[in-house]
Amino acid sequence: MSANDRVLIDQMIEEQRNSLTVPLSFDETFERFACEHALHGFGLSDEEVEAGVIGGGNDGGVDGAYVFLGGRLLHEDSDVLQNPSAAANVEKGVQLTLWLVQAKKSTSFSELALDKVASTCSHLLDLEADESSLKVMYSEDLIARFRLFKVALRHLLKRHPTVLIKFSYVTRGEANEVHAKVQAKAKLLEAQFDKAFAISQGEVEFLGPAELWKRASTLPSYTLELPYQESITHQTSHIALVTLGDYIDFLSDDTGTIKSHIFDWNVRDYQGNVEVNREIAAALQNPTAPEFWWLNNGITIVCSQATSVGKRLSLSDVQIVNGLQTSYTIHETLRQLYDADPSDPVFQRLVQVRILVTADQAARDAVIRATNRQTAVPVASLRATDDIQRQIESYFLEHEWFYDRRKNFYRNQGKPANQIVSIPLLAQSVMAMGLGQPDYARARPSSLLKSNLDYRRVFSEKTELAVYLWLARAQRHVDEFLQTRPTPMSRSLYTNLHFHLAMLGAVKIIGGVFNDPNELKNAARESIFPSETQLESLLESLQEQFASFQLTHNYGPDKAAKSSEFVHYLTMNLGYGSLARGR
């Protein structure tokens, strides 16, 4: 590494700071930058990165904490934690990962940092630890992250998961010149993680400016090559037979991990050890089975261009829109064998791949809907292709805001992060402010739209497009207010109350509680938002009522924030009235 890498990284962080409406400090921006690029391969959105950042003091030497199941980020409302049947369908031996990040702007790596994380993990990984005693030493944010990991582990024990505990230590120092004593402490920490559970293994990595620069300057590639054996071509599109070995190469990055970003437009996630995937795996593992492509419907890829030279297709803007279950099952079942013996006969078997060439987004959406109608997919899962979603995206674009109905689409184009709004965040904003249910928005960070009823309530054609943009801007306005106050708010308190504060801001503008988003159409047309002075006053009242409600009802903060009783208590005590609400 040279000093130039540090200069470039510092410049990149300053640019990220200045792109925000209200810049964070260099340290805070560096923490988020470090978490984003330590987790580079997971394709997390800005909101997902932010949710794992541990704010405030008592962080135990951990600046970011994330839990993954089979490479997918877990949330507190993830199906496997709420639904026993979902947990039962998780693939046996799936990897459960706790990924911890420490980010320091110092120009070296220290033993003390590793000692601190070792002490923290010895306490927080203890399944018998009393959380009330832990709260004396650690922030609620940090405890909640470890709690999520331990709850997931308990729910998945019958699926015999493997456990990875990984620690990324990020500084502005040279990772290839770490002192021997620090390296020795890293080995001790890995050994501690190995011994945490009978099924766990530990891993520690050092990341400096050179490693950060390499990751930050590498955008996920959507231009890929796909070798094929035979093909039929009609105009610019193709149907190809591809060997399983070549398809595994197509799916895998340099580390052998599946390229999750080429599935961003798929309408559902990998379902794990469900019957259809077990059948696919059995067909792959049976050497006497008929040709694989006889037994499988194949893969559908949409792209903007496909060029064939010497039985190799060069594809631009690749997205796999149908065949995610097949793709992941091929990768999960055969990846290790392919690494060990790529000449095994199984890799000469064939899978059918359709390559549909169109740059027309409406046509791509039609393909996604049509190819996924053949199997049982909940209607709400096709939401990104709905007319209302495309209308919202177009309206946002007209006003230089970016509705990310395709995850990370606008971030990968370099659009300002503070003007990008995801489907989940807009849905929570509508639920909190437009429908008067901040408790529901808080309780369903990732699953709010899995119910078709909730989806229709949130994304109604009766709601004016200007109101959707106002709601997105209002929530961002409230969030930036909370994040930049002189007295910082803990991550857990922010998570619990930012939707409630947004609701109070909307109620303040209207003058009473309401549950119809179109009540906000005048505010939207005139761009009226609660002032900083109003938000400060509302926040003070909100915190007072939150503390009082917990004491009166003997609720913990999470339970209180997710309770409709608290919303009723809050609005009544502040003189705004209350609504009888159905769901």
Side-chain angles (χ1 to χ4, degrees):
M1 186 204 88
S2 70
N4 288 336
D5 293 321
R6 187 179 302 130
V7 172
L8 291 170
I9 285 297
D10 288 353
Q11 180 179 325
M12 191 174 284
I13 292 169
E14 283 296 341
E15 289 174 355
Q16 188 167 312
R17 284 185 67 217
N18 294 329
S19 70
L20 302 174
T21 306
V22 183
L24 300 170
S25 69
F26 183 92
D27 285 3
E28 290 172 316
T29 310
F30 183 65
E31 287 176 356
R32 286 152 180 77
F33 187 86
C35 289
E36 176 187 347
H37 296 296
L39 302 165
H40 180 73
F42 290 101
L44 302 186
S45 67
D46 290 329
E47 293 159 20
E48 290 170 331
V49 171
E50 180 68 29
V53 173
I54 308 298
N58 296 327
D59 63 13
V62 177
D63 295 313
Y66 303 82
V67 182
F68 298 90
L69 181 63
R72 293 157 197 84
L73 187 66
L74 276 185
H75 303 269
E76 58 187 302
D77 64 328
S78 293
D79 275 353
V80 294
L81 306 182
Q82 306 291 328
N83 185 348
S85 63
N89 282 330
V90 170
E91 184 179 7
K92 281 191 175 181
V94 67
Q95 181 168 286
L96 177 65
T97 303
L98 173 63
W99 200 310
L100 309 174
V101 181
Q102 183 178 89
K104 300 299 177 188
K105 67 176 183 180
S106 62
T107 56
S108 63
F109 297 88
S110 75
E111 295 176 66
L112 181 61
L114 293 163
D115 289 339
K116 194 171 183 180
V117 171
S119 175
T120 297
C121 290
S122 68
H123 296 136
L124 293 180
L125 289 175
D126 183 352
L127 296 177
E128 297 181 341
D130 177 14
E131 282 199 2
S132 61
S133 63
L134 294 175
K135 289 177 182 178
V136 177
M137 299 183 288
Y138 305 110
S139 71
E140 175 58 37
D141 302 353
L142 184 63
I143 293 171
R145 293 283 99 192
F146 276 81
R147 181 192 307 129
L148 177 62
F149 167 74
K150 291 187 286 189
V151 168
L153 180 58
R154 287 190 175 102
H155 276 72
L156 296 167
L157 278 179
K158 291 182 179 179
R159 307 311 299 163
H160 305 290
T162 59
V163 172
L164 173 64
I165 305 171
K166 182 158 184 174
F167 176 57
S168 296
Y169 185 11
V170 186
T171 78
R172 293 163 63 246
E174 299 190 18
N176 60 351
E177 296 182 6
V178 178
H179 194 279
K181 287 185 178 180
V182 179
Q183 292 180 355
K185 286 292 179 72
K187 293 296 183 185
L188 290 174
L189 184 58
E190 287 182 343
Q192 178 182 329
F193 291 159
D194 287 344
K195 296 174 184 176
F197 308 99
I199 52 176
S200 65
Q201 70 176 89
E203 186 176 329
V204 175
E205 67 173 352
F206 297 99
L207 301 177
E211 292 74 25
L212 290 175
W213 172 253
K214 182 178 179 181
R215 296 184 186 191
S217 59
T218 304
L219 288 174
S221 175
Y222 294 87
T223 299
L224 303 172
E225 283 200 347
L226 181 64
Y228 63 88
Q229 300 301 302
E230 304 291 343
S231 74
I232 299 172
T233 300
H234 177 67
Q235 296 179 352
T236 59
S237 296
H238 310 266
I239 299 177
L241 292 178
V242 178
T243 68
L244 293 177
D246 286 335
Y247 191 62
I248 289 173
D249 280 337
F250 177 78
L251 293 176
S252 306
D253 64 18
D254 292 342
T255 68
T257 303
I258 199 165
K259 297 170 183 169
S260 59
H261 64 276
I262 62 175
F263 296 92
D264 284 347
W265 294 7
N266 213 277
V267 298
R268 56 183 172 180
D269 210 339
Y270 183 48
Q271 303 297 304
N273 192 40
V274 295
E275 183 178 358
V276 64
N277 291 341
R278 289 196 296 269
E279 291 176 355
I280 294 171
L284 292 168
Q285 293 167 329
N286 181 1
T288 64
E291 268 290 359
F292 182 73
W293 71 278
W294 297 3
L295 307 175
N296 185 271
N297 290 332
I299 316 297
T300 301
I301 295 173
V302 294
C303 59
S304 61
Q305 187 175 1
T307 305
S308 178
V309 178
K311 290 200 170 183
R312 298 182 74 88
L313 283 162
S314 178
L315 311 178
S316 301
D317 303 316
V318 167
Q319 279 293 310
I320 296 176
V321 298
N322 187 255
L324 179 145
Q325 306 303 318
T326 297
S327 299
Y328 267 81
T329 302
I330 289 171
H331 193 272
E332 295 283 334
T333 305
L334 299 178
R335 176 75 245 182
Q336 288 186 343
L337 176 60
Y338 189 63
D339 288 341
D341 184 11
S343 63
D344 190 289
V346 68
F347 300 115
Q348 294 306 309
R349 298 172 71 185
L350 303 172
V351 61
Q352 176 184 285
V353 182
R354 296 198 305 162
I355 300 102
L356 310 181
V357 180
T358 176
D360 182 344
Q361 188 58 66
R364 290 184 176 202
D365 286 344
V367 170
I368 293 169
R369 295 186 73 88
T371 55
N372 284 282
R373 288 295 188 190
Q374 300 166 10
T375 53
V377 180
V379 173
S381 294
L382 295 164
R383 57 186 175 270
T385 66
D386 283 354
D387 286 344
I388 184 65
Q389 299 296 330
R390 288 191 276 117
Q391 290 167 3
I392 293 171
E393 182 182 25
S394 295
Y395 188 85
F396 275 42
L397 280 171
E398 290 172 10
H399 294 81
E400 297 184 345
W401 279 67
F402 308 98
Y403 184 49
D404 220 27
R405 68 188 184 96
R406 304 298 189 193
K407 185 179 177 181
N408 288 335
F409 180 78
Y410 289 109
R411 185 172 78 171
N412 290 338
Q413 290 188 351
K415 302 301 182 184
N418 61 316
Q419 290 172 239
I420 298 173
V421 180
S422 66
I423 290 180
L425 180 61
L426 182 59
Q428 287 175 298
S429 303
V430 175
M431 186 64 74
M433 289 178 277
L435 298 171
Q437 296 183 228
D439 53 305
Y440 204 43
R442 164 65 186 94
R444 302 287 185 272
S446 70
S447 61
L448 182 61
L449 298 181
K450 290 184 178 178
S451 158
N452 291 332
L453 175 61
D454 286 336
Y455 178 71
R456 288 193 295 270
R457 292 176 63 216
V458 169
F459 291 109
S460 168
E461 293 181 356
K462 296 178 181 179
T463 301
E464 293 188 9
L465 294 174
V467 171
Y468 286 115
L469 179 58
W470 185 93
L471 287 162
R473 293 179 63 192
Q475 188 64 59
R476 190 58 51 81
H477 175 65
V478 168
D479 292 347
E480 288 175 350
F481 162 77
L482 289 173
Q483 291 165 358
T484 57
R485 292 176 69 244
T487 305
M489 176 179 281
S490 71
R491 166 58 54 181
S492 57
L493 191 59
Y494 169 87
T495 300
N496 278 330
L497 294 185
H498 72 132
F499 290 122
H500 292 77
L501 181 60
M503 179 203 69
L504 290 180
V507 167
K508 182 75 174 178
I509 289 171
I510 300 303
V513 295
F514 60 96
N515 61 1
D516 180 357
N518 279 325
E519 291 285 336
L520 293 161
K521 60 186 178 184
N522 289 333
R525 289 168 185 165
E526 299 175 24
S527 293
I528 298 172
F529 298 95
S531 68
E532 186 170 317
T533 301
Q534 288 174 323
L535 288 175
E536 193 66 57
S537 175
L538 290 170
L539 177 60
E540 182 179 350
S541 299
L542 172 59
Q543 290 181 298
E544 288 176 357
Q545 296 300 323
F546 192 54
S548 172
F549 179 83
Q550 290 177 69
L551 186 63
T552 303
H553 291 73
N554 195 28
Y555 279 12
D558 284 4
K559 185 177 180 181
K562 297 174 184 178
S563 166
S564 61
E565 296 173 76
F566 172 59
V567 179
H568 173 82
Y569 181 93
L570 174 66
T571 54
M572 289 296 291
N573 285 353
L574 295 186
Y576 292 119
S578 186
L579 290 171
R581 299 176 299 162
R583 292 186 176 148

